[in-house]
Amino acid sequence: MGRKLRSGYTTGACAAAAARAAATALLTGRDLPHVKVIFPDHSIVEFEVHGYRQGESSIIASVIKDAGDDPDVTNGAVIEAEVRCTGQDSGKTDRLKIKGGTGVGTVTKPGLAVEVGKPAINPVPRQMIQENVEKAVLEAVKIGVRPRLPRGKTWSDPNFGLEVIIHVPEGEELAKQTLNERLGIIGGISILGTTGIVRPISADAWTGTIKSCMDVAEANGIKEIVLSTGRTSEKCIQQVLKPKDEALVMMGDYLAFSLKEVRRYSFTRVRVATMWAKLLKGAMGYSQTHVRHGILDTRQVCEFFEKKGINPGLIKRVGSANTAREIYDIVIGAGGEDIISLVCSHAEKKYQSLAGV
């Protein structure tokens, strides 16, 4: 039996941990080696604090993101929170401000969970940061020790508040490995998470990104989108159709999910860009095209071709093939462009059925 994959924590959870540590250090003078963080399900998780440093009239605490066994580009990234005291003119209504700093992207396109012009800190992480900083404040008030506060300032003063700035020092470079720019998130990564937990090889992460891409496409008035199974397929269709970036949706192997999802939108046309093996799987009715969900069975391909009236001699040759690529070479070598067209036609019918058209 294989080893059970280890879960990790989202950038949002790490930002909340760093914010709580920095707020505690600022308000009490205590640089805690570990902090306890309240999660959306009300569970408590303890985080190790990577380090502290003095900012300009602020305290900065950092946490190293541990994504567990998930291949997350932000795994191992330093997530920082800078906390400083602020004067408030609006009384108690806006005493805690949360901002994006170095390496946190800015939203520039509509359709996401965050307004255009705002830092890409999603609603749940923002709530986690707020709740945990407020908890740090309550604990500081209870302790009654606030050596790092400006002279004469206390949390009971209605004109006193806190500002939390989230930084990801490597965020701008890490963002180049994501779809952020296409989604309109410029200058860094997003602070994400809905539960605080990263599940290894998370289907939720994939499907969430697919939904976000479609949301952005619709919000930007795109009527024709392109679903692609990978970067090679996407690059090919970009050369042919030259679509806008907002029209491109990287669905990976989530074919059925993506085609069913388009029913919720007002798109007038959906194109699918895929390589031969996944095209053939689609024509044969596979709903999930990754190899771990089923290797392309040559025997089943032969049965499929037989039902479509393909030449028995060619089917026999296909039966000796070991890979989809070899099947393709045999078909093309026999001048079977019409067979390629037949596969495309059947794949199209399957896609239309999934999309409800």
Side-chain angles (χ1 to χ4, degrees):
M1 182 180 291
R3 177 177 67 88
K4 183 178 179 180
L5 296 176
R6 187 171 60 88
S7 295
Y9 301 106
T10 63
T11 48
C14 295
R20 184 160 184 171
T24 299
L26 179 72
L27 298 170
T28 70
R30 299 166 61 200
D31 295 349
L32 300 177
H34 297 84
V35 289
K36 292 181 178 179
V37 176
I38 306 168
F39 273 49
D41 65 356
H42 307 297
S43 62
I44 306 295
V45 177
E46 188 171 86
F47 281 76
E48 180 179 354
V49 182
H50 175 60
Y52 294 88
R53 72 179 193 274
Q54 184 79 43
E56 186 178 342
S57 68
S58 65
I59 296 295
I60 301 170
S62 60
V63 167
I64 302 295
K65 179 177 174 180
D66 178 4
D69 289 324
D70 194 69
D72 190 318
V73 299
T74 58
N75 186 42
V78 176
I79 311 295
E80 296 180 341
E82 181 176 7
V83 179
R84 63 164 56 95
C85 300
T86 60
Q88 300 293 321
D89 296 326
S90 55
K92 296 185 179 182
T93 58
D94 191 22
R95 302 185 69 191
L96 178 59
K97 294 182 178 179
I98 301 170
K99 299 181 177 181
T102 304
V104 174
T106 299
V107 175
T108 65
K109 295 178 183 179
L112 297 175
V114 177
E115 293 179 21
V116 171
K118 300 288 187 181
I121 303 174
N122 272 21
V124 172
R126 182 174 287 274
Q127 181 60 38
M128 286 184 72
I129 293 167
Q130 179 168 339
E131 184 175 8
N132 281 280
V133 169
E134 288 175 349
K135 185 69 173 177
V137 170
L138 292 174
E139 291 176 347
V141 170
K142 186 176 181 180
I143 293 171
V145 182
R146 294 176 288 278
R148 285 175 173 158
L149 294 185
R151 184 178 298 276
K153 288 293 184 183
T154 68
W155 189 253
S156 60
D157 181 346
N159 293 319
F160 166 64
L162 293 177
E163 181 177 75
V164 180
I165 307 170
I166 305 302
H167 302 284
V168 183
E170 298 177 285
E172 193 165 357
E173 282 301 310
L174 291 171
K176 294 175 182 178
Q177 302 174 53
T178 72
L179 295 176
N180 273 18
E181 186 173 352
R182 180 176 300 168
L183 292 172
I185 300 169
I186 306 301
I189 66 165
S190 307
I191 304 300
L192 299 172
T194 54
T195 64
I197 303 293
V198 173
R199 306 295 179 189
I201 322 298
S202 171
D204 288 344
W206 260 110
T207 56
T209 299
I210 291 167
K211 288 179 181 179
S212 292
C213 287
M214 291 186 187
D215 287 344
V216 169
E218 176 126 85
N220 283 275
I222 301 297
K223 292 302 179 184
E224 296 186 9
I225 64 167
V226 178
L227 303 176
S228 62
T229 54
R231 294 198 181 276
T232 300
S233 301
E234 187 177 81
K235 286 179 181 178
C236 288
I237 206 161
Q238 280 180 294
Q239 292 174 3
V240 175
L241 298 178
K242 296 180 172 52
K244 291 183 177 180
D245 284 347
E246 294 89 347
L248 299 168
V249 179
M250 185 78 71
M251 68 174 174
D253 294 291
Y254 292 91
L255 176 67
F257 170 85
S258 300
L259 288 169
K260 289 176 181 177
E261 191 68 12
V262 298
R263 300 182 187 190
R264 300 196 305 110
Y265 298 86
S266 61
F267 308 129
T268 57
R269 175 175 288 182
V270 177
R271 301 179 188 270
V272 177
T274 182
M275 301 293 279
W276 165 250
K278 296 183 188 230
L279 176 71
L280 191 51
K281 281 187 173 184
M284 293 169 63
Y286 286 64
S287 62
Q288 228 286 6
T289 58
H290 195 281
V291 66
R292 70 175 177 270
H293 294 279
I295 297 172
L296 188 62
D297 189 323
T298 304
R299 178 180 53 80
Q300 291 179 350
V301 175
C302 289
E303 290 175 358
F304 173 73
F305 281 172
E306 186 176 5
K307 288 178 182 178
K308 305 309 172 190
I310 305 301
N311 183 287
L314 181 58
I315 293 175
K316 184 175 181 180
R317 291 175 59 194
V318 167
S320 66
N322 294 311
T323 65
R325 177 70 196 194
E326 193 173 353
I327 292 172
Y328 179 82
D329 289 340
I330 289 170
V331 170
I332 290 297
E337 287 83 357
D338 56 332
I339 297 176
I340 304 298
S341 296
L342 180 144
V343 170
C344 289
S345 176
H346 277 273
E348 181 181 26
K349 290 176 183 176
K350 296 289 185 182
Y351 299 161
Q352 289 174 336
S353 175
L354 288 167
V357 297

